[in-house]
Amino acid sequence: MRLREDTVNMYKLFFRLVFHRMDPEQAHHLAFRWIRLAARVPVLRTFVAALLAPRHEELRTEAFGLRMHGPFGLAAGFDKNAVAVDGMSMLGFDHVEIGTVTGEPQPGNPKQRLFRLVPDRALINRMGFNNEGSAAVARRLAERTPVFRTVVGVNIGKTKVVPEDEAAADYVKSTERLAAHADYLVVNVSSPNTPGLRNLQATDSLRPLLTAVREAADRTVTTRRVPLLVKIAPDLADEDVDAVADLAVELGLDGIIATNTTIAREGLGLTSDAALVQETGGLSGAPLKARSLEVLRRLYARVGDRITLVGVGGVENAEDAWQRILAGATLVQGYSAFIYEGPFWGRAIHKGLAARLRTSPYATLADAVGADVRKKTA
Ligand SMILES: Cc1cc2nc3c(=O)[nH]c(=O)nc-3n(C[C@H](O)[C@H](O)[C@H](O)COP(=O)(O)O)c2cc1C
């Protein structure tokens, strides 16, 4: 289906005029409601999917044994409770990572906890894993009748009130409830909004945690091996990135997601409101681009093709997605730019990626993965 450039711009204007004047979290809920509604009406969802999620054969992707229509997915945090998997698939995301889901339900931090830094195309959030908890989300996933064939990743994290030294049991509880419904499972140890969570990235803590989750997944799901990934922070020192990479190889992990939001405030400069910039929480969007890409490159240089890498953080357009692939990402995810770009974002990324692949020296997308890093080390 053809789409005129001015249609895209009109929608962007609409999104700017309506959503950007609202409280960011309210705007999220409103947009979310529309997406879910549209996905429930058969004629409408077929039309929207044809418009926004046209398939490009050459972008077909395989990652940790799962086949996907393309490499581009929705990062965790947008659909925390798995209420809009079909809706997000309808908008062109090739996989949807739900969560973070914690062992127990929790309300998250007091509002306001989400902030837009529009001139910098960034967000700051301190949501604090507001979610319905692993039992409720598992029930929802079990009862779901999928409309679109999509890969569903399940991202799990620690319940806030659970002490750090009991974290593994909380992750195991979530794993036991959710693994059967997960195409892949992600251990999130990198959100800055749960006190102490990021300490779990230290290999001494991470090794027993990942081992316990792996064992729980294998115990719970015996008919297949649920792929297990870990999601890391961009604020790790380079040696710690290497240490996580080595541990992932040692434990036979399936993937690493790089990266979560940052507590740093680098790369900003256009937002004049100094208090806004200093809001507590994780920064995402354009300012995160350089560091996320750097961490990804470092990981690929360390693990090569032994572990699947997922690139996320500051991906705004097809060129960014392409750069992540060349840097070693088999899958690419995004969140913040979706807020700024609106519903045509996925379509534009796919179209641009297909065009780049066509004019590149690579026959397939898989051939392009890590090509830049391989060139440098050759
Ligand atoms: C409002 C908000 C909530 C998020 N919640 C989660 C979460 O629950 N779990 C998680 O692993 N990442 C979460 N993230 C991080 C994103 O998944 C992603 O790693 C990060 O935003 C960088 O990508 P981006 O620059 O494309 O947004 C959240 C991000 C935002 C903006």
Side-chain angles (χ1 to χ4, degrees):
M1 202 180 294
R2 281 181 64 110
L3 194 64
R4 287 163 53 109
E5 194 60 26
D6 45 0
T7 316
V8 177
N9 289 337
M10 250 169 59
Y11 268 88
K12 266 193 172 179
L13 182 70
F14 170 80
F15 269 77
R16 292 202 91 80
L17 288 177
V18 179
F19 288 136
H20 289 180
R21 290 176 183 202
M22 294 171 64
D23 166 75
E25 199 171 336
Q26 269 181 337
H28 174 84
H29 288 306
L30 181 63
F32 216 40
R33 207 170 312 139
W34 288 350
I35 293 166
R36 291 168 63 187
L37 267 174
R40 260 190 237 137
V41 183
V43 182
L44 187 56
R45 73 174 171 239
T46 307
F47 172 76
V48 175
L51 184 70
L52 302 181
R55 304 292 177 216
H56 296 266
E57 283 303 312
E58 64 271 43
L59 296 183
R60 281 187 179 280
T61 301
E62 195 173 327
F64 20 84
L66 303 171
R67 291 214 189 105
M68 312 186 197
H69 293 296
F72 187 57
L74 180 69
F78 196 89
D79 186 5
K80 286 181 187 279
N81 296 307
V83 293
V85 173
D86 279 314
M88 302 319 290
S89 177
M90 174 187 78
L91 297 185
F93 291 101
D94 302 311
H95 68 271
V96 176
E97 190 169 310
I98 65 127
T100 293
V101 183
T102 52
E104 299 303 323
Q106 58 182 27
N109 288 322
K111 294 175 184 168
Q112 188 180 357
R113 53 192 180 178
L114 175 60
F115 305 86
R116 280 193 218 100
L117 287 65
V118 179
D120 283 302
R121 306 188 309 280
L123 300 172
I124 291 176
N125 92 83
R126 52 168 178 270
M127 305 299 288
F129 292 164
N130 52 307
N131 79 106
E132 293 173 11
S134 54
V137 175
R139 214 174 307 124
R140 180 166 299 122
L141 286 172
E143 287 165 5
R144 177 174 171 257
T145 315
V147 175
F148 298 109
R149 200 172 60 80
T150 196
V151 162
V152 181
V154 176
N155 178 309
I156 57 173
K158 185 182 80 68
T159 307
K160 187 179 178 185
V161 296
V162 169
E164 232 175 287
D165 58 356
E166 291 169 26
D170 195 60
Y171 281 89
V172 164
K173 183 194 285 179
S174 296
T175 303
E176 288 168 348
R177 290 173 174 164
L178 289 160
H181 314 294
D183 289 319
Y184 70 86
L185 204 60
V186 182
V187 170
N188 178 12
V189 281
S190 48
S191 290
N193 303 312
T194 297
L197 188 85
R198 291 173 311 146
N199 297 339
L200 298 172
Q201 291 175 113
T203 49
D204 283 353
S205 307
L206 196 54
R207 182 180 281 104
L209 173 61
L210 292 173
T211 305
V213 171
R214 178 73 269 165
E215 284 171 6
D218 291 341
R219 229 183 9 254
T220 317
V221 184
T222 51
T223 49
R224 67 189 164 104
R225 186 178 176 281
V226 181
L228 181 64
L229 291 77
V230 66
K231 182 166 177 179
I232 64 170
D235 306 316
L236 284 177
D238 288 344
E239 314 82 76
D240 296 330
V241 172
D242 294 346
V244 173
D246 294 348
L247 180 67
V249 172
E250 179 197 320
L251 298 180
L253 233 60
D254 299 273
I256 303 176
I257 305 185
T259 66
N260 214 310
T261 58
T262 177
I263 55 166
R265 290 295 180 264
E266 278 147 34
L268 293 161
L270 303 171
T271 306
S272 52
D273 184 344
L276 186 58
V277 170
Q278 290 313 322
E279 285 291 351
T280 301
L283 174 72
S284 58
L288 185 54
K289 193 177 304 196
R291 178 61 186 159
S292 280
L293 183 59
E294 193 183 347
V295 171
L296 177 66
R297 274 213 185 95
R298 194 171 183 95
L299 284 170
Y300 188 79
R302 195 90 180 173
V303 302
D305 297 329
R306 287 179 294 176
I307 288 187
T308 300
L309 301 177
V310 182
V312 52
V315 173
E316 296 188 283
N317 50 41
E319 180 57 26
D320 292 337
W322 180 239
Q323 291 306 323
R324 297 299 155 115
I325 289 166
L326 294 176
T330 298
L331 301 180
V332 179
Q333 297 180 334
Y335 184 145
S336 300
F338 181 54
I339 307 296
Y340 292 113
E341 298 294 319
F344 293 98
W345 189 44
R347 179 189 163 102
I349 299 246
H350 284 106
K351 199 168 162 221
L353 268 182
R356 277 164 182 76
L357 180 61
R358 233 175 286 129
T359 54
S360 79
Y362 313 109
T364 66
L365 210 52
D367 291 341
V369 172
D372 267 5
V373 180
R374 285 199 302 271
K375 238 183 265 166
K376 276 202 190 99
T377 49

